[in-house]
């Protein structure tokens, strides 16, 4: 009887450890955020850029673009809405150096 109890306890301990790693490595906890600002900040951290000062926020419904400035650099970072609740980092986080001797530093287009 005692051996069965020990086996059951070990099985539950293993199940809890596996559940912990499943939740810990879940993309919904690591990649998706409830706040678009948090998704923007994660995007900057993954690119080793920032933290930047957000100059303007442009809302496109399912997506937002954050125009931001960091030291002598600027960026136009996108975050995307997922399932109506979660926000995930988009692409194009990379900053571009502000060239003060030019009237236009950079252009960006997409579809």
């Amino acid at each position: 009887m005692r051996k069965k109890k020990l086996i059951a306890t070990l099985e539950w301990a293993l199940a809890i450890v596996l559940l912990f790693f499943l939740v810990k490595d879940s993309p919904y906890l690591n990649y998706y955020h409830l706040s678009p600002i948090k998704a923007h900040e994660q995007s900057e951290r993954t690119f080793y850029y920032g933290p930047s000062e957000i100059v303007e926020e442009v809302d496109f419904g399912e997506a937002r673009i954050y125009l931001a400035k960091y030291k002598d650099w600027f960026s136009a970072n996108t975050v995307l809405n997922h399932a109506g609740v979660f926000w995930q980092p988009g692409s194009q986080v990379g900053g571009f150096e502000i060239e003060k001797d030019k009237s236009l530093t950079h252009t960006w287009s997409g579809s």
Side-chain angles (χ1 to χ4, degrees), residues 48-65:
Y48 304 108
Y49 178 84
S52 63
E53 171 193 347
I54 296 173
V55 177
E56 188 173 346
E57 178 181 336
V58 182
D59 190 9
F60 287 105
E62 294 292 314
R64 288 195 185 162
I65 297 177

Side-chain angles (χ1 to χ4, degrees), residues 35-99:
S35 162
I37 297 286
K38 293 290 182 188
H40 165 70
E41 290 171 354
Q42 179 190 2
S43 183
E44 286 185 335
R45 280 193 310 272
T46 58
F47 198 73
Y48 304 108
Y49 178 84
S52 63
E53 171 193 347
I54 296 173
V55 177
E56 188 173 346
E57 178 181 336
V58 182
D59 190 9
F60 287 105
E62 294 292 314
R64 288 195 185 162
I65 297 177
Y66 288 99
L67 302 172
K69 183 178 180 203
Y70 175 67
K71 295 183 181 178
D72 290 334
W73 297 73
F74 74 94
S75 66
N77 185 21
T78 58
V79 293
L80 307 171
N81 191 298
H82 180 72
V85 178
F86 299 105
W87 292 89
Q88 70 185 46
S91 58
Q92 310 297 336
V93 68
F96 299 96
E97 190 170 3
I98 298 172
E99 299 174 14

